[in-house]
Amino acid sequence: MSNREFVEFYAANKDRCLRAVLASGVRSVEAEDAVAEAFARAWASWRKVRALKHPSAWVVRTAVNANISWWRKRRREVVWDRPPDSATTDGEPPSDLVAAVRRLPRRQREVVVLRYLLDLNTAATADWLGIAPGTVTAHLHHALATLRTHLVETEGTNR
């Protein structure tokens, strides 16, 4: 196992992976913890992870899954003082775009995150999600139409 190879992978991908997890709907503090956990798991299984076509997508998926597992274990213990869509990294209201992406259906949100935040092409996104490339294109088309509609409505209400 190459320490240097992993260190380079981490340095090149940590910020992109964190942004992708945040865009997937995970709150900022939990996203940072989940990404750290995912990179720790990647290090522990680096031989397997580095052999993947898209190791950064593996880290994002692992982080999102870690967050889901954490919430499932504690779901009865959590009391929300505000809805999750209002959470941001610095306590300020989220940007309209991030809020709109978080409201997309799960599969559309996954496609947007993989295509735009991790910069995977359609084939790689389809391969990662286990769906046909045409399905990726359809989800992306619907997601972008929803985002355009939301952002135009939001812009119109701000004037």
Side-chain angles (χ1 to χ4, degrees):
M1 224 184 312
S2 168
N3 289 343
R4 182 182 195 152
E5 182 183 23
F6 181 79
V7 168
E8 289 171 2
F9 169 74
Y10 174 78
N13 291 284
K14 64 180 176 147
D15 292 335
R16 284 179 39 196
C17 289
L18 179 60
R19 285 192 303 270
V21 171
L22 286 167
S24 294
V26 179
R27 293 176 4 154
S28 63
V29 173
E30 289 87 2
E32 290 173 12
D33 290 344
V35 169
E37 174 70 22
F39 272 108
R41 290 181 189 180
W43 167 247
S45 302
W46 184 236
R47 232 177 253 161
K48 177 186 95 172
V49 174
R50 78 174 181 195
L52 297 171
K53 287 182 185 177
H54 307 287
S56 59
W58 183 92
V59 169
V60 171
R61 172 60 91 195
T62 301
V64 170
N65 288 346
N67 182 260
I68 290 169
S69 295
W70 186 86
W71 279 112
R72 282 182 181 154
K73 290 176 189 172
R74 291 158 186 82
R75 69 177 156 217
R76 288 188 172 82
E77 300 172 18
V78 175
V79 177
W80 290 98
D81 59 342
R82 61 184 179 180
D85 281 346
S86 64
T88 64
T89 57
D90 58 5
E92 295 298 317
S95 73
D96 291 340
L97 179 59
V98 171
V101 170
R102 286 180 175 172
R103 283 193 293 272
L104 290 172
R106 180 185 59 86
R107 187 61 86 178
Q108 289 179 18
R109 188 172 56 242
E110 289 172 341
V111 168
V112 168
V113 166
L114 291 171
R115 289 284 286 123
Y116 293 111
L117 293 178
L118 289 180
D119 202 27
L120 299 182
N121 62 29
T122 300
T125 300
D127 184 48
W128 179 254
L129 293 174
I131 58 179
T135 305
V136 169
T137 303
H139 281 306
L140 191 58
H141 171 77
H142 293 296
L144 293 177
T146 300
L147 291 173
R148 276 187 206 103
T149 300
H150 172 75
L151 294 174
V152 166
E153 288 173 1
T154 302
E155 184 178 300
T157 59
N158 289 339
R159 290 183 179 181

